[in-house]
Amino acid sequence: MSSTPSRTEKANAIRALAMDAVQKANSGHPGAPMGMADIAEVLWNDYLKHNPANPEWADRDRFVLSNGHGSMLLYSLLHLTGYDLSIHELQNFRQLHSKTPGHPEYGYAPGVETTTGPLGQGITNAVGMALAEKVLAAQFNREGYELVDHHTYTFLGDGCLMEGISHEACSLAGTLGLGKLIAFYDDNGISIDGEVEGWFTDDTPKRFEAYGWHVIPGVDGHDPQAIKAAIEAARAETTKPTLICCKTVIGFGSPNKQGREECHGAPLGAEEIALVRETLGWKHEPFVIPEDLYHAWDARPKGEAQEEEWNDIFEDYKEAHPELAAEFVRRMKGELPADFLAKADEYIKKCQADAEKIASRKASQNTLNAFGPLLPEFLGGSADLAGSNLTIWSGAKGVTADDASGNYVYYGVREFGMSAIMNGVALHGGLVPYGATFLMFMEYARNAVRMAALMKQRVIFVYTHDSIGLGEDGPTHQPVEQLTALRVTPNLHTWRPCDATESAVSWKMAVARNDGPSALIFSRQGLAPQPRTDEQLAAIEKGGYILRDCEGTPEAIIIATGSEVELATAAADKLAGRKVRVVSMPCAEAFSAQPADYRESVLPSAVRARVAVEAGHKDYWYKFVGFDGAIIGMDTFGESAPAGDLMKHFGITADKVAEAVESLLK
């Protein structure tokens, strides 16, 4: 091998590491890394702006491997370019507690920008990152200072393009003119079931042209000069996102398996790997990379110089715009304004004092009007339901292709796309995204909500029209099982407030939480304000608290959330001769995380007579009432009728709650 390795030799280092790691793990996907190695070599060595010594550099380019099953491509690139990802970690590919899980996972290896694997979500995260870059550039860049100026690059395959979410996200990306988003389509014609021409015959270039993208078709994905020319053309187009369509051979270099589904998702086998080494002229043992190749790949000197150049710009920026500079640093660190929590608490006290009966969706909008001016990092939105979700506040300004300085995105009817785009925005940093739809249509977006929780991102999912109480629209729009689905999602906090005060607290807690997403569940119907002491007011953020108590030890406890808290207190009135405690539990996850002594003080284990009431699926509440308790809720879908009629029809009334308590006390 020459002292100055060729592009092909550098690409072959990726191929060798990928096939060896998959073989050692006896599972994985060698085909995509081997097929896209040449594209990756040109992009990472000639264009990608990054510093392996500081993976968190604010103005780095973002790289997203949307076809995340090809994770060894990304791990090989990170290892070769000098990130803190040792050869030992590549040898432990797909093993317990390694930094190289089967699909790229955010938070494991430095340089992994997002968790990918569920196809289509990576490209959508990339749209979110590019959106964040455009918004932050409009908010912070000033004449002579391009403080925010980086690209988002993403690799994707046929599977990503077949997933419906790619239509949602890429359509919006074109509309918003995300000119620094560059996507590489790995057009190898193969998916798990074989040749895709049997089930995927879209004219992809025309499809993306219709979205308003700049499309570069027919690029030879194994010709470095053709790849380089395409990237140059993509970077020159600043008003539209670019799709570079690369014709590649899956498993390139494998004499018997390249171009076939056999190399997509299984090890090549020892005999075939020996043939690959012979075909590629790769004479090194497994996991051995010669020093001259490491030197050729090392991105640290160039990356450090690029970051140093940016730091010099930032120093000048600080002198010219000190307040903006301080704000940029704060926001990129993910820190809240110093006075936010205190001012939020002031507003919460005001809500309690005002004691207004309003729908919690309206209380949410009122809170946005109070919190919005305090949080310039807010980037709100709704999936074409702003008038129903009430997500637009007085200072909201729409983001457009021509003016991205706003703080609100009109996502259109794209619930799944919106949610995964918000994940990308959060991952980018500098913005706190919230987006809304009806609770029922969380179903369209469920996997993106799960990904936010998996990645522990501060994303706020706003869901209104929270129960059968929305009435005449009927069971297609009435959520039943959705609250349970949200609550059983690890690391997701689900808040269902009972009045304006709890609504404000839920917003405060969602904004303040920096280790995971929150779902805020709001009603369409008006909710009566609940009286509280200062101690009760402070206890709301614990997720569950005693809203109304009795003298001494209670005989029974009624647990309720949202609109059903009114029913619980009314039932307690009907049980005047009984010692009944009412517990409001706006966030069961937050309550469950409290110390045991606090939980015992609210729900004493000696009190076995417990009734939970919620106009959603019953089963979740057994964890709080036990098998001996009672649950007033739903175990069927809803019906189309006025809300009051539905509540009576399904037995979600104060009388039924009182009857359930009496039955338990017999």
Side-chain angles (χ1 to χ4, degrees):
M1 187 173 287
S2 64
S3 59
T4 304
S6 68
R7 286 193 180 278
T8 298
E9 289 168 332
K10 287 186 283 185
N12 285 344
I14 296 173
R15 295 184 172 104
L17 288 172
M19 67 181 184
D20 288 341
V22 171
Q23 185 66 27
K24 187 173 187 298
N26 197 31
S27 74
H29 300 75
M34 296 173 74
M36 298 193 79
D38 296 303
I39 307 168
E41 188 279 323
V42 175
L43 175 64
W44 278 63
N45 281 316
D46 291 12
Y47 294 99
L48 195 71
K49 182 175 69 171
H50 64 125
N51 182 7
N54 181 16
E56 301 301 316
W57 172 31
D59 202 43
R60 70 191 181 278
D61 289 339
R62 271 62 170 180
F63 176 79
V64 175
L65 184 68
S66 189
N67 43 346
H69 54 271
S71 57
M72 269 309 303
L73 174 65
L74 179 53
Y75 299 146
S76 299
L77 289 164
L78 295 172
H79 171 72
L80 291 167
T81 54
Y83 285 81
D84 184 17
L85 190 67
S86 69
I87 196 71
H88 173 73
E89 292 293 349
L90 271 62
Q91 291 170 327
N92 277 338
F93 178 54
R94 289 181 163 235
Q95 305 309 302
L96 185 64
H97 302 316
S98 76
K99 293 181 180 179
T100 52
H103 292 82
E105 290 190 41
Y106 178 81
Y108 280 70
V112 175
E113 300 282 4
T114 181
T115 300
T116 56
L119 294 177
Q121 287 198 63
I123 173 62
T124 309
N125 292 165
V127 170
M129 293 174 188
L131 172 62
E133 191 275 343
K134 183 164 184 168
V135 169
L136 290 169
Q139 292 180 358
F140 285 99
N141 289 356
R142 294 295 182 268
E143 186 175 352
Y145 299 100
E146 295 297 309
L147 190 66
V148 182
D149 183 18
H150 53 266
H151 286 81
T152 301
Y153 298 100
T154 180
F155 284 5
L156 66 155
D158 295 301
C160 291
L161 292 177
M162 283 186 262
E163 289 286 0
I165 190 175
S166 73
H167 296 257
E168 296 182 26
C170 294
S171 169
L172 187 60
T175 299
L176 294 176
L178 302 182
K180 289 182 178 173
L181 172 63
I182 299 175
F184 296 80
Y185 166 32
D186 181 30
D187 184 9
N188 60 36
I190 296 294
S191 66
I192 291 176
D193 281 352
E195 296 181 5
V196 300
E197 63 184 14
W199 47 87
F200 184 55
T201 58
D202 298 14
D203 189 328
T204 297
K206 285 185 179 178
R207 168 186 159 188
F208 275 77
E209 286 171 2
Y211 291 154
W213 284 53
H214 172 219
V215 178
I216 303 174
V219 176
D220 183 346
H222 302 295
D223 179 349
Q225 293 308 310
I227 297 164
K228 190 174 177 68
I231 296 173
E232 290 286 347
R235 288 166 59 92
E237 173 54 74
T238 59
T239 63
K240 298 178 179 180
T242 295
L243 179 72
I244 302 175
C245 302
C246 300
K247 294 295 294 185
T248 64
V249 177
I250 190 172
F252 184 90
S254 173
N256 298 307
K257 295 187 177 183
Q258 69 176 19
R260 299 166 58 189
E261 64 271 19
E262 283 89 343
C263 67
H264 170 85
L268 297 179
E271 291 183 9
E272 187 68 13
I273 285 177
L275 293 175
V276 174
R277 282 182 153 76
E278 184 178 333
T279 300
L280 298 179
W282 187 262
K283 300 178 181 179
H284 314 290
E285 294 298 311
F287 299 105
V288 173
I289 305 294
E291 283 304 315
D292 59 345
L293 267 172
Y294 272 127
H295 180 74
W297 268 105
D298 190 358
R300 288 170 292 188
K302 181 180 177 182
E304 288 169 6
Q306 288 174 321
E307 183 174 357
E308 197 170 305
E309 181 182 352
W310 183 85
N311 286 337
D312 290 341
I313 294 171
F314 188 61
E315 287 301 314
D316 293 341
Y317 182 86
K318 281 200 291 188
E319 288 190 21
H321 306 284
E323 291 184 4
L324 276 176
E327 178 72 0
F328 181 78
V329 170
R330 176 187 73 78
R331 286 171 59 174
M332 292 307 296
K333 285 183 177 178
E335 297 175 351
L336 295 177
D339 60 351
F340 171 71
L341 293 177
K343 289 187 175 180
D345 286 339
E346 288 177 13
Y347 177 73
I348 290 165
K349 290 178 181 177
K350 180 180 181 300
C351 289
Q352 186 63 38
D354 289 348
E356 183 181 8
K357 180 173 182 175
I358 54 174
S360 55
R361 63 170 175 168
K362 180 60 179 175
S364 168
Q365 186 179 49
N366 292 346
T367 303
L368 285 171
N369 281 321
F371 289 1
L374 308 175
L375 296 166
E377 53 264 65
F378 258 170
L379 185 66
S382 173
D384 200 52
L385 288 168
S388 294
N389 299 147
L390 302 185
T391 44
I392 294 178
W393 56 282
S394 58
K397 175 186 174 184
V399 173
T400 67
D402 297 327
D403 182 3
S405 64
N407 56 10
Y408 192 88
V409 180
Y410 291 90
Y411 284 103
V413 187
R414 300 181 177 98
E415 296 88 354
F416 194 5
M418 173 184 72
S419 303
I421 286 170
M422 289 197 295
N423 290 347
V425 168
L427 287 159
H428 180 280
L431 297 163
V432 174
Y434 71 85
T437 185
F438 292 166
L439 177 56
M440 183 63 246
F441 302 129
M442 176 278 293
E443 293 293 346
Y444 284 136
R446 186 194 293 254
N447 200 259
V449 177
R450 183 178 190 269
M451 295 297 283
L454 187 64
M455 294 188 284
K456 301 180 180 179
Q457 291 302 297
R458 178 158 49 193
V459 180
I460 303 173
F461 300 102
V462 179
Y463 299 123
T464 68
H465 297 60
D466 66 342
S467 73
I468 60 169
L470 71 91
E472 293 87 343
D473 279 342
T476 60
H477 285 55
Q478 294 166 1
V480 171
E481 70 275 28
Q482 285 64 42
L483 282 166
T484 294
L486 291 169
R487 288 178 179 135
V488 299
T489 301
N491 202 45
L492 176 68
H493 284 188
T494 300
W495 291 83
R496 187 174 183 243
C498 75
D499 64 2
T501 302
E502 285 191 358
S503 297
V505 172
S506 69
W507 266 109
K508 172 197 167 184
M509 299 305 291
V511 170
R513 187 175 187 226
N514 60 9
D515 62 352
S518 300
L520 308 184
I521 316 298
F522 298 122
S523 71
R524 185 178 74 169
Q525 67 271 34
L527 304 182
Q530 298 296 322
R532 295 177 182 87
T533 64
D534 289 345
E535 183 180 5
Q536 288 172 315
L537 192 63
I540 294 173
E541 62 187 53
K542 295 181 179 179
Y545 64 102
I546 301 168
L547 178 66
R548 179 168 167 175
D549 213 358
C550 57
E551 292 290 335
T553 303
E555 296 176 83
I557 299 173
I558 305 173
I559 307 168
T561 79
S563 52
E564 286 68 69
V565 169
E566 286 183 55
L567 298 183
T569 57
D573 288 338
K574 293 176 179 293
L575 295 162
R578 295 290 192 179
K579 296 165 71 173
V580 177
R581 171 178 292 179
V582 175
V583 170
S584 177
M585 194 172 289
C587 183
E589 301 85 1
F591 177 76
S592 297
Q594 298 303 314
D597 58 347
Y598 176 77
R599 287 182 278 123
E600 176 67 18
S601 72
V602 175
L603 298 176
S605 52
V607 182
R608 308 293 293 176
R610 301 183 185 188
V611 177
V613 53
E614 184 175 63
H617 201 275
K618 295 178 178 180
D619 283 3
Y620 177 81
W621 291 102
Y622 283 112
K623 67 183 289 185
F624 292 110
V625 303
F627 289 126
D628 295 330
I631 303 167
I632 305 297
M634 300 290 294
D635 51 21
T636 68
F637 294 117
E639 297 283 352
S640 179
D645 294 345
L646 289 175
M647 292 298 184
K648 292 177 183 176
H649 175 73
F650 288 107
I652 304 174
T653 65
D655 286 337
K656 292 295 184 182
V657 175
E659 289 173 15
V661 171
E662 290 287 11
S663 178
L664 292 175
L665 293 175
K666 285 181 180 177

